[in-house]
DNA sequence: AGTGCGACCCGAACGC
DNA sequence: TGCGTTCGGGTCGCAC
């Protein structure tokens, strides 16, 4: 599923392919993908805009247009592909941006969970979904003191808190398990009970894991197969996620799977003791 | 304010 | 084989 490294990879690939292209039409086959503004307004505003640049904030892909940002969240299965206008439409292609050169950017999403928003440039950082986001993993302000202040009232298990995008952005279910394994922290440990050393490990391993995953082009796992030119190789480097009953790479104890906050969670009960 | 949980979706995996 | 059921995953909104 697209977490920060997947979105970063999609952004970089799309930048090599669609920069400066002009949108001459938009076809919307599943209207609920468009969250804001209303579909008609979305269409009329985006037509004749060019793709000036592409950015990322957390798991949001940000297409910079002349006057707007198109914010796109892939959720679990959203993908982008570039195709010729003559190619047949796939049943999971819900939004199609037609360019002036007979090519199209197609948004494909089997589960239909992904969302798009079109926001005037100067209002972008006041837009609710971006405004409430926490720090990027590589932000210098991400320190032990920052985490301590954010975690001090959190009775929830650290696994759940790592997924909270209002504290650190970009971590999803897969990388949360990897980060905790590398930090030798039990996923059920209450966030507010972590020591300063453990918080430092979380910071270091968050940066390390995400950086390595970006280098590998993200993780292609289960249903998340590929976007345009994106075939993540990081799954080959996963240590515990999805490895139920397989030996721990550190101590050979079988990896166990539990539910934490409703999410499948993999860990080594020997290496990650309470 | 913090927490828990259903809703949103549908293909894949599982159980019989 | 076929059919029904369960699962998963990010985020929001609502109840407590």
């Amino acid at each position: 599923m697209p977490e920060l490294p997947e979105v970063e990879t999609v952004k970089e690939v799309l930048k090599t392919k669609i920069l400066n292209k002009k949108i001459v039409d938009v076809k919307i086959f599943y209207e609920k993908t468009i969250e804001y503004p209303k579909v008609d307004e979305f269409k009329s505003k985006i037509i004749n805009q060019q793709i000036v640049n592409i950015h990322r904030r957390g798991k949001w892909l940000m297409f910079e247009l002349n006057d707007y940002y198109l914010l796109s969240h892939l959720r679990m299965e959203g993908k982008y592909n570039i195709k010729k206008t003559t190619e047949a439409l796939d049943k999971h292609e819900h939004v199609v941006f037609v360019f002036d050169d007979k090519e199209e950017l197609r948004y494909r999403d089997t589960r239909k969970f992904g969302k798009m928003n079109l926001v005037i440039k100067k209002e972008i950082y006041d837009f609710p979904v971006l405004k409430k986001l926490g720090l990027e993993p590589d932000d210098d302000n991400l320190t032990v003191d920052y985490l301590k202040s954010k975690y001090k009232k959190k009775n929830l298990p650290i696994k759940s808190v790592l997924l909270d995008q209002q504290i650190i952005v970009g971590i999803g279910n897969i990388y949360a398990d990897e980060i905790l394994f590398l930090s030798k922290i039990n996923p059920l440990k209450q966030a507010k009970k972590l020591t300063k050393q453990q918080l430092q490990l979380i910071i270091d391993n968050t940066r390390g894991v995400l950086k390595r995953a970006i280098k590998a082009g993200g993780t292609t796992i289960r249903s998340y197969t590929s976007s345009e030119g994106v075939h993540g190789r990081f799954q080959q480097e996963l240590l515990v996620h999805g490895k139920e009953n397989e030996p721990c790479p550190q101590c050979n104890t079988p990896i166990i799977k539990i539910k934490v906050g409703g999410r499948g969670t993999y860990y080594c009960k020997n290496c990650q003791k309470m």
Side-chain angles (χ1 to χ4, degrees):
Chain A
M1 338 27 248
E3 301 183 28
L4 186 151
E6 290 74 32
V7 180
E8 181 68 22
T9 305
V10 171
K11 181 198 83 182
E12 288 302 318
V13 172
L14 289 181
K15 268 173 90 166
T16 68
K17 305 200 173 197
I18 60 168
L19 242 41
N20 301 317
K21 295 205 186 207
K22 186 175 168 186
I23 300 166
V24 294
D25 197 11
V26 190
K27 296 170 183 169
I28 297 164
F29 302 101
Y30 183 72
E31 301 206 338
K32 287 163 92 174
T33 301
I34 311 303
E35 194 165 51
Y36 177 89
K38 294 200 167 74
V39 172
D40 289 347
E41 201 180 333
F42 180 92
K43 273 190 194 171
S44 62
K45 285 182 168 166
I46 207 166
I47 287 174
N48 287 327
Q49 295 282 312
Q50 277 176 291
I51 315 265
V52 173
N53 206 343
I54 311 177
H55 312 268
R56 179 193 58 73
R57 173 78 173 98
K59 300 175 190 172
W60 285 93
L61 206 49
M62 301 171 67
F63 295 87
E64 183 180 352
L65 310 177
N66 304 100
D67 305 321
Y68 305 93
Y69 282 99
L70 169 63
L71 302 182
S72 170
H73 199 300
L74 307 174
R75 294 288 182 96
M76 264 77 75
E77 310 210 352
K79 299 169 181 66
Y80 280 101
N81 289 287
I82 294 146
K83 295 187 176 176
K84 303 276 184 212
T85 50
T86 49
E87 277 191 69
L89 193 74
D90 179 281
K91 75 166 184 174
H92 298 299
E93 288 172 341
H94 306 308
V95 182
V96 176
F97 301 92
V98 184
F99 298 125
D100 55 358
D101 60 357
K102 300 203 163 98
E103 291 208 320
E104 316 181 320
L105 178 66
R106 297 188 184 179
Y107 177 71
R108 185 179 192 277
D109 187 349
T110 35
R111 288 260 177 80
K112 300 180 171 173
F113 271 16
K115 298 289 176 209
M116 294 183 194
N117 295 270
L118 189 66
V119 185
I120 302 213
K121 272 190 178 177
K122 69 171 168 39
E123 295 172 2
I124 189 66
Y125 287 108
D126 286 323
F127 197 69
V129 295
L130 293 193
K131 195 169 186 176
K132 62 187 177 189
L133 292 180
L135 297 177
E136 290 286 331
D138 64 358
D139 192 319
D140 290 340
N141 295 311
L142 176 55
T143 61
V144 168
D145 286 342
Y146 172 80
L147 285 188
K148 210 143 192 62
S149 71
K150 292 289 184 183
Y151 287 2
K152 68 176 180 232
K153 287 178 185 163
K154 294 284 187 190
N155 297 310
L156 291 171
I158 180 61
K159 164 72 188 263
S160 302
V161 174
L162 279 181
L163 300 175
D164 185 343
Q165 303 298 303
Q166 299 190 42
I167 302 175
I168 305 174
V169 297
I171 302 170
N173 202 38
I174 299 170
Y175 298 123
D177 286 354
E178 299 296 302
I179 291 162
L180 291 175
F181 175 73
L182 290 168
S183 305
K184 298 187 187 302
I185 296 170
N186 190 292
L188 292 168
K189 184 100 180 173
Q190 279 186 310
K192 68 177 178 187
K193 291 188 176 163
L194 294 171
T195 64
K196 288 191 173 186
Q197 283 96 324
Q198 288 176 316
L199 295 176
Q200 188 61 55
L201 281 170
I202 285 177
I203 293 169
D204 294 344
N205 287 315
T206 296
R207 288 175 174 154
V209 166
L210 295 181
K211 198 174 291 177
R212 288 199 298 282
I214 290 169
K215 217 170 165 185
T219 301
T220 302
I221 188 174
R222 281 179 71 94
S223 53
Y224 195 76
T225 50
S226 68
S227 249
E228 187 68 21
V230 179
H231 303 280
R233 298 172 307 284
F234 194 70
Q235 76 275 18
Q236 296 159 22
E237 298 181 40
L238 293 179
L239 301 171
V240 289
H241 189 89
K243 308 278 188 187
E244 188 178 16
N245 296 327
E246 292 182 40
C248 166
Q250 194 68 46
C251 74
N252 287 325
T253 303
I255 299 297
I256 55 175
K257 182 186 184 187
I258 60 170
K259 288 261 186 193
V260 180
R263 296 281 170 263
T265 298
Y266 300 83
Y267 74 108
C268 171
K269 68 178 191 325
N270 182 46
C271 293
Q272 296 166 267
K273 294 201 172 87
M274 275 303 231

